[in-house]
Amino acid sequence: MTVPASFAIGEHDFLLDGEPFRILSGAMHYFRVHPDHWADRITKARQMGLNTIETYVAWNAHASTEDAFDLTGPLDLGRFLDLVAAEGMYAIVRPGPYICAEWTNGGLPGWLLRRPGVGIRRDEPTFMAAVAGYLRHLAPVIVPRQLDRGGPVILVQ
């Protein structure tokens, strides 16, 4: 795959390096699939005609406790995104923080829900500080893999 330099929203289309681009995306939540199967499933998605893999990031899977953040093994988002790129596909990363996805607490960690007075899913200082910490853990994984930096990530929702 030639690495595009830009992805934008045009008047009528998405634009990949200034040219119209149609996202043909399928969801694959890396935390629900054994890592030994990631490459195979990504390949099969491409063979079905998709050009993009969309994935949620489940905060509670990565942060079972407030002082831990796991990005290894079945939670290795970076490896997953690298496999998407190796297949010549793009990625849409959806870190939430609330993801729903028929996932416990919509991905919000239990330790956060136990904090007295925390305002879940609203502009409340305790919640927003926790979200900022969560995104600080993800940024070193996602940012270098953004399209404009040579990676597969075309959108973050």
Side-chain angles (χ1 to χ4, degrees), residues 27-39:
M28 182 177 158
H29 306 150
Y30 63 96
F31 53 90
R32 288 182 157 140
V33 177
H34 193 283
D36 291 346
H37 299 284
W38 289 348

Side-chain angles (χ1 to χ4, degrees), residues 10 13 43 52 70 76 92 120 146:
D13 300 290
T43 296
T52 304
D70 187 1
D76 190 344
I92 299 172
I120 300 300
Q146 290 177 160

